[in-house]
Amino acid sequence: MDRVLDEPLTKTLGPATAKVMAENLDLRTVGDLLHHYPRRYEERGQLTRLAELPLDEHVTVVAQVADARVLTFNGGRGRRLEVTITDGSGRLQLVFFGRGVHRPHKDLLPGTRAMFAGKVSMFNRKLQLAHPTYERLDADSGEGAVSAFAGKLIPIYPACKGLESWKIAKAVDAVLPHATEAVDPLPAALREGRGFVPLPQALLKIHRPQTKADVEDARQRLKWDEAFVLQVALARRRYADAQLPAVARRPVPDGLLDAFDARLPFTLTEGQRKVSAEIFGDLATEHPMHRLLQGEVGSGKTMVALRAMLTVVDAGGQAALLAPTEVLAQQHHRSVVEMMGDLAEGGMLGGAERATKVVLLTGSMGAAARRQALLDLVTGEAGIVIGTHALIEDKVQFHDLGLVVVDEQHRFGVEQRDALRGKGKQPPHLLVMTATPIPRTVAMTVFGDLETSVLDQLPAGRSPIASHVVPAADKPHFLARAWERVREEVEGGHQAYVVCPRIGDDLDQAAQPTGARRTSPEDEAEKRPPLAVLDVAGQLTAGPLKGLRVEVLHGRMAPDDKDDVMRRFAAGEVDVLVATTVIEVGVNVPNATAMVIMDADRFGVSQLHQLRGRVGRGSAPGLCLLVTEMPEASPARGRLGAVAATLDGFELSRIDLEQRREGDVLGQAQSGVRSSLRVLAVIEDEEIIAAARDEAVSVVSADPDLEGLPELRTALDALLDKDREQYLDKG
């Protein structure tokens, strides 16, 4: 079977190349390399658009030398070769120094065509490649050879330092004969039914296509492999989870939940009621619930989760809420205790008769408080525990853990979810909450093992947020006006946030390029280190916000100091909080109505949306100002315009995904595990993913162990590399 494809590359390629491949591209076997597909294809007759080169990326371009000249400097002691290459769309400067100028000076005569690879940098307002490697494309033989050569598709591979695209292509040539031994994972009926080319042929066509149609055939086929194998893995996970036992936790009349509901000062939204019903339905079954609760910032997820926790406590179990940071755990603890009132004072004088204890457990707690919390958990005195991953430590024992609620999944590794699940006598029910709106297909791919509930209404009493882009470079008076608006909000009795990308002590000071050179405004804005909390706070207190109570909050402060600042801000003793994205998740101060985000172009679309959700949480309307120095026509400004134009998180998450590379989405969501998606694009291939999911469900329900499909089992083992397989096993 697949033995040849499991052979280490060291046997085929030689140790040096194999080492670079393993370290930089994570390619270790013949099979890995066969699945390292070209990113795109160049036609020798057509050139990459030099006009669209990305800064700071390793690129491969095909272009023609326009001119080359050797310059001397240092009084003739130093030599520099400057070569200008062109492709019709733009020009690019190459530069070689010192002894390295002789060979390229001979090779790169005007008119020579070559492939060049290197990292794009900026010098004197011009893009350049310093010391690029190159491979000439001139055919010395007759006309016929030249035209054959010009029409060919050149595969351009994702490359890295020390391994250019053409070196990878040569390595692929060495292993390509083994493609015939690739095992086809698709069941024959499925493959024939959809008219796909066999896998060995698809591999040949993707690496060495004769025509564009070849590329298309191969991609369609390989996309299906990926989508189908991944969906089979997820379907098997769901199937296995459905076989696990769990204690059913059914609501008890006149218990904590009823007492809690009776005191609510408002009615639940239709959405909250519907989602609660789905959750209660899951909790009442003898299999563990696995549910993802998606809801915009402020849609009332915590309320839904708390009601689920109370139900479990009523049914004799305990519930744990896991938050990604201490600040958040403390905040959740405060808000849960506030919402529950004397129902959270179990065993204390003045506690209600149905009450339970709500304890907090974080890493920085004092020893005595921690001992008491652990004791309350083991005796079952505490029905609800809220904490950070300190909850997962070996020392923590539960009396009867029935439900785990995880806040903000993407900050939380699967290993952690798993360790907590192991704390129950039987697997506890699991509810994962996220405020990041995830398009349906990403949810199907990343959280394919979870059923999804969506809260899409905002609770009554929430106010709209107006968002505006403030172009500080083009229109400085707009920025002055922004600070006036902050003053007006404070004078009206409200509070404001100012968010900066950096903290600003020496630890994160970017090394500044020395030597003053004139650069374009876009470049200036890019090159300048991002604005920092400490600097901005200083400038504001001395300048436009003089006389207001301004405080800072960032991740390197001691936990007690952070809590102190947050507490005073929440109590209204601070007018303006200058912070890093520490406040992105979970900070709830209804009186804060304005937010100014400095260097907003340095944040992702979803992150801006999350940050903005911190204002407008009370009855007064919110205001969010996105400050940027990017020029009007830049893509960064376009992104900010999109954020200002809509409050719909799902719409923004689509924009965000289209802008970022797919791998980021999966990569982040999978706790840093390398994404195994190579040709599948989560947004574009929505239909493929949905169809593959349906096929996978029917295959798995007919044959859960895939006994009749040995090739598919082999492919599962191969595609889900070890980390990823564990990731799927644990979930």
Side-chain angles (χ1 to χ4, degrees), residues 55 69 71 80 82 93 95 97 121-129 513-521 523-524 527:
L55 200 59
R69 56 185 189 281
L71 306 170
R80 181 170 82 232
E82 288 184 0
Q93 182 120 21
V95 38
F97 292 101
S121 56
M122 181 71 90
F123 181 77
N124 277 347
R125 303 181 60 173
K126 286 203 201 74
L127 289 178
Q128 70 165 24
L129 296 182
T514 45
R517 293 201 294 261
R518 297 294 308 131
T519 49
S520 69
D523 200 41
E524 281 283 271
K527 282 280 183 280

Side-chain angles (χ1 to χ4, degrees), residues 568-626:
R568 287 184 297 126
F569 187 64
E573 296 162 21
V574 173
D575 299 320
V576 180
L577 188 61
V578 182
T580 53
T581 53
V582 196
I583 61 154
E584 175 185 358
V585 191
V587 173
N588 186 11
V589 180
N591 189 44
T593 52
M595 176 177 285
V596 180
I597 302 179
M598 307 304 291
D599 278 340
D601 46 89
R602 308 280 175 115
F603 298 99
V605 170
S606 295
Q607 202 176 22
L608 290 168
H609 181 61
Q610 293 280 67
L611 285 167
R612 168 171 67 183
R614 300 287 130 222
V615 296
R617 298 177 78 93
S619 48
L623 172 68
C624 178
L625 301 173
L626 305 166

